[in-house]
């Protein structure tokens, strides 16, 4: 901001020099050239600087024309001067750095850093625009025909150029030694940031001036419209910033518009260095087409629509109330309308022509690990669902192909890109989506193997992908180790599905090491792998320090009682895990008791947050069930407990029932299927339901419950919504007893029983038909 103010002062001083040499009349030369006259001519400086609107109106047409010609020449001079200086900084600076410096920015700017810098740049642009507009309004220099006087426009133009030169210095400072920029890179970036109608800075200035014109009106209504215009300008930019900070889904209006802001405000700072061996084409393909493409993307269209539709409505009100205004009619209605129309008409043909340039840009983003730029290019070109377009870009992605070859993945298919099979193309397309930070990427059952997992692990080091499914891909321990290493640097992945991948102890240990340093992963699924006690212990150790993981699934592994004991101990320190799945892990009584101790003995400040615990098929007996039941209390928020296919029996059921009566008031779902429970255990559970008001779902199928237990459960479960009693020893007496109590049980909506009882229920009188609708027959 200080540099921009110094630039203003310097420019003001320059405009008031006593003698300024005559400048070549560029506008006059073009006019002569159109008429076949190639005579060069000069234009003298204006006699009056910073004139008021009254002074401009008093000028002759020739004097006004001369002012216009002189300032156009000066604008071009400033632009070319900034371009030359910036190019020298970036080209020469990179060469000098390659000779004598090892300093550099190892990674591209993060999303947070970009957000802060764009907000700073936008704040500076708005502040200077408001200052210039309000000063012009106060001094009688605000015009309905041109907005501001040329001198003020020039000062703001110089500020924009100064900010680009600062970015050039920073870009060289952060450049890795040995990397270089294109010679034309600064010129293209400065053109997109300084050219009228193309940059957000110009659009911001235009909207601020419109608000000033409304405030200049003698009508109170127009004054209110002016304030609304300024408020809307700030509001929709704040919306773009908010969507970027929250990483909103791409179908939210304006979700990708921050990328448009970043490429305008940080156009030089975001320039990617050259990549060795990349495609190089003609000037039309390298420079002109990419510039046109940026102005017709859907992201640009959404930006234009969000910004200009409300402003156009307010502009129509201004024209109706205030009368004609060239500035308002042209800049707020005609030009935006043409721009929006062109985005609809030209997007697809320009995109098709710009495929080599898009491939080059994507290739550079991959080379520099810039997932933000890769994601922006991916979404702007609509590559998410277009595999054929990706196939056209693929030959230009030499960095992408080299990564595949380094990991020895799909080597044969990559030898001839023109003859890729549909399946190979789809796999490559999905991998590229991970590099482009696509939110959800599914590779389930695609035979990725160890080499494919290594490619994805490399992508995850910089990717913004949130959900990655690698189910059933046989990645093995090596793949698990690669993914574990990537978790140490990844800060965006939320869910990782690795079930059925033959991952053993070493792979689990690597994933556990990654979890210790990871701060984003919330769900890790390792179901049906080959993880043993050592892997279980390593994962347990990671739970003591990790504070983001919400779900850990180890179902179908062989961690045994030793691994379960380690996990139980870790629960004493963990305060964030919500779901723990140890179904079929050989936990046994000792493991169950250790888990119970961890739940009860939690020493974290917030207490244990575990809400769902799966312990089915673990050989747990009544001792383990008793320990788990006793752990339910004020320190434990367990909502769902699954103990199916164990051996807890009546004694275990009675222990659980006692807990439901006194301590386990939070429990909402309880699964005791297949546990050899008889009427005795069922009656104990039924009695507890008379005092427990939270349990809503109870599964007691595949037990030995008879008529007495079934009757007690239906009679006493006043708040229970679903009760499953199929595959028990219920006879006609029990069915009639349940029929007798069902009408008065208002809470129960689903009673699941075997189909062989259908005939007994069919003998009910008509008064019980309503109750019969609650029955779900299970054959």
């Amino acid at each position: 901001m200080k540099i921009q103010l110094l630039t203003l002062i310097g420019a003001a001083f320059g405009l008031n020099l006593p003698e300024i040499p005559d400048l070549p009349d560029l506008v006059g030369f073009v006019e002569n050239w159109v008429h076949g006259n190639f005579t060069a001519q000069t234009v003298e400086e204006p006699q009056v600087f910073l004139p008021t609107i009254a002074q401009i109106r008093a000028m002759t047409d020739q004097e006004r024309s001369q002012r216009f010609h002189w300032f156009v020449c000066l604008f071009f001079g400033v632009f070319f001067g900034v371009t030359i200086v910036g190019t020298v900084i970036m080209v020469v600076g990179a060469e000098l750095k390659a000779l004598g410096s090892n300093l550099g920015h190892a990674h591209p700017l993060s999303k947070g850093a970009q957000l802060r810098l764009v907000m700073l740049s936008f704040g500076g642009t708005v502040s200077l625009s408001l200052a210039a507009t309000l000063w012009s309004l106060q001094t009688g220099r605000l015009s309905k025909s041109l907005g501001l006087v040329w001198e003020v426009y020039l000062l703001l133009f110089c500020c924009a150029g100064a900010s680009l030169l600062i970015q050039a210095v920073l870009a060289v400072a952060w450049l890795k030694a040995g990397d270089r920029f294109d010679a034309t890179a600064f010129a293209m970036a400065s053109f997109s940031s300084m050219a009228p109608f193309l940059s957000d800075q110009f659009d911001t200035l235009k909207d601020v001036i419109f608000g000033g014109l409304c405030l200049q009106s003698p009508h109170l209504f127009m004054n209110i419209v002016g304030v609304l215009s300024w408020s809307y300008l700030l509001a929709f930019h704040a919306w773009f910033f908010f969507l970027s900070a929250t990483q909103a889904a791409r179908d939210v209006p304006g979700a990708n518009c921050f990328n448009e802001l970043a490429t305008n405000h940080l156009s030089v700072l975001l320039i990617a260095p050259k990549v060795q061996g990349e495609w190089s084409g003609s000037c039309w393909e390298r420079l002109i087409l990419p510039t046109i493409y940026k102005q017709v993307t859907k992201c640009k269209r959404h930006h234009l629509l969000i910004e200009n539709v409300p402003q156009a409505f307010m502009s129509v009100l201004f024209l109706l109330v205030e009368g004609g205004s060239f500035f308002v009619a042209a800049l707020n209605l005609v030009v935006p309308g043409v721009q929006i129309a062109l985005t609809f008409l030209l997007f697809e043909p320009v995109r098709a022509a710009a495929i080599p340039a898009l491939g080059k840009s994507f290739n550079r983003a991959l080379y520099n690990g810039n997932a933000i730029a890769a994601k922006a290019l991916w979404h702007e070109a609509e590559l998410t669902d277009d595999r054929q377009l990706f196939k056209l870009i693929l030959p230009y992605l030499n960095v992408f192909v080299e990564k595949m070859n380094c990991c020895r993945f799909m080597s044969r298919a990559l030898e001839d890109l023109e003859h890729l099979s549909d399946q190979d193309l789809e796999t490559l397309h999905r991998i590229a989506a991970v590099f482009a930070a696509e939110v959800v990427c599914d590779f389930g059952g695609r035979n990725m193997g160890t080499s494919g997992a290594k490619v994805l692990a490399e992508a995850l080091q910089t990717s913004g992908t949130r959900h990655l499914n690698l189910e059933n891909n046989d990645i093995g321990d090596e793949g698990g180790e690669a993914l574990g290493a990537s978790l140490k640097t990844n800060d965006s992945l939320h869910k990782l599905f690795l079930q059925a991948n033959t991952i053993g102890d070493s792979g689990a240990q690597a994933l556990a090491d990654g979890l210790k340093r990871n701060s984003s992963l919330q769900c890790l699924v390792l179901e049906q792998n080959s993880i043993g006690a050592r892997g279980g212990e390593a994962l347990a150790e990671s739970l003591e320090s990790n504070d983001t993981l919400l779900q850990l699934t180890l179902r179908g592994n062989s961690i045994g009682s030793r691994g379960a004991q380690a996990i139980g101990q870790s629960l004493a320190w963990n305060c964030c895990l919500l779901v723990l799945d140890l179904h079929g892990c050989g936990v046994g009584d000792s493991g169950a008791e250790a888990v119970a101790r961890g739940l009860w003995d939690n020493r974290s400040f917030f207490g244990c947050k575990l809400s769902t615990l799966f312990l089915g098929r673990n050989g747990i007996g009544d001792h383990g069930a008793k320990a788990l039941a006793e752990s339910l209390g004020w320190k434990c928020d367990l909502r769902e407990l699954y103990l199916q296919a164990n051996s807890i029996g009546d004694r275990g059921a009675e222990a659980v029932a006692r807990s439901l009566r006194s301590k386990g008031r939070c429990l909402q779902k309880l699964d005791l299927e297949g546990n050899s429970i008889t009427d005795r255990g069922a009656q104990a559970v039924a009695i507890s339901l008379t005092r427990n008001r939270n349990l809503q779902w109870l599964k007691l199928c595949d037990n030995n419950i008879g008529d007495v237990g079934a009757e007690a459960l239906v009679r006493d479960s006043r708040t229970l919504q679903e009760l499953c009693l199929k595959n028990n020893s219920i006879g006609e007496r029990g069915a009639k007893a349940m029929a007798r109590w069902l009408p008065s049980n208002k809470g129960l909506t689903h009673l699941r029983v075997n189909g062989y009882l259908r005939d007994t229920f069919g003998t009910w009188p008509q008064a019980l038909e309503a109750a019969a609708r609650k029955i779900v027959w299970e054959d």
Side-chain angles (χ1 to χ4, degrees), residues 31 54 66 118 208 239 288 297 313 382 486 541 616 669 689 710:
E31 290 176 348
Q66 187 178 30
V118 172
V208 170
W239 173 244
I288 301 175
T297 62
F313 175 73
E382 296 187 325
S486 69
E541 185 180 348
K669 288 188 176 184
L689 293 179

Side-chain angles (χ1 to χ4, degrees), residues 472-501:
N472 191 24
N473 273 287
D474 196 26
I475 69 172
D477 279 331
E478 288 187 50
E481 290 167 1
L483 291 169
S486 69
L487 287 178
K488 295 178 181 179
T489 57
N490 182 281
D491 60 357
S492 59
L493 192 65
H494 289 178
K495 295 182 179 181
L496 179 59
F497 299 92
L498 295 174
Q499 56 263 49
N501 270 297

Side-chain angles (χ1 to χ4, degrees), residues 65-311:
S65 176
Q66 187 178 30
R67 275 178 55 81
F68 170 67
H69 288 205
W70 192 81
F71 277 103
V72 166
C73 183
L74 207 55
F75 274 107
F76 273 99
V78 171
F79 174 76
F80 285 118
V82 169
T83 300
I84 292 169
V85 173
T87 302
V88 170
I89 291 173
M90 297 191 74
V91 174
V92 177
E95 293 295 337
L96 292 175
K97 190 163 190 178
L99 293 175
S101 175
N102 292 321
L103 298 177
H105 198 58
H107 300 287
L109 284 175
S110 66
K111 193 76 169 181
Q114 288 190 28
L115 179 61
R116 290 188 290 272
L117 288 172
V118 172
M119 291 175 69
L120 179 64
S121 177
F122 173 71
T125 301
V126 170
S127 299
L128 288 174
S129 300
L130 279 171
T133 301
L134 292 174
W135 179 81
S136 299
L137 179 63
Q138 286 294 110
T139 58
R141 290 178 171 86
L142 191 62
S143 163
K144 289 199 296 184
S145 57
L146 292 176
L148 308 177
V149 295
W150 291 115
E151 290 85 347
V152 178
Y153 280 129
L154 182 61
L155 294 179
L156 297 175
F157 194 71
C158 290
C159 291
S163 69
L164 293 179
L165 293 178
I166 295 170
Q167 289 185 44
V169 173
L170 292 175
V172 172
W174 290 345
L175 184 70
K176 289 184 289 187
D179 283 350
R180 291 170 175 82
F181 296 109
D182 284 324
T184 58
F186 185 88
M188 297 303 299
S190 60
F191 180 76
S192 64
S193 288
M194 298 177 73
F197 311 114
L198 300 184
S199 67
D200 182 68
Q201 292 93 322
F202 175 83
D203 289 337
T204 299
L205 175 61
K206 170 197 63 137
D207 293 339
V208 170
I209 293 173
F210 171 71
L213 290 173
C214 292
L215 291 179
Q216 188 175 245
S217 170
H219 301 92
L220 177 62
F221 172 70
M222 290 314 306
N223 298 158
I224 296 173
V225 170
V227 174
L228 288 176
S229 174
W230 285 351
S231 301
Y232 182 70
L233 172 67
L234 299 176
F236 75 78
H237 277 88
W239 173 244
F240 295 160
F241 297 149
F242 170 75
L243 293 179
S244 172
T246 56
Q247 298 184 0
R250 59 192 173 103
D251 55 346
V252 177
N256 296 317
C257 288
F258 175 79
N259 299 322
E260 175 71 21
L261 294 180
T263 54
N264 275 275
H265 289 270
L266 308 178
S267 59
V268 176
L269 207 56
L270 297 181
I271 294 175
K274 293 190 289 187
V275 178
Q276 208 170 25
E278 69 182 0
W279 166 86
S280 60
S282 64
C283 177
W284 169 258
E285 293 173 313
R286 288 185 295 108
L287 303 178
I288 301 175
L289 264 179
T291 303
I292 298 174
Y293 170 75
K294 287 181 180 179
Q295 302 305 315
V296 298
T297 62
K298 286 195 173 181
C299 177
K300 181 70 174 181
R301 182 195 309 163
H302 293 162
H303 191 165
L304 289 170
L305 287 170
I306 291 172
E307 177 177 13
N308 290 293
V309 170
Q311 295 285 12

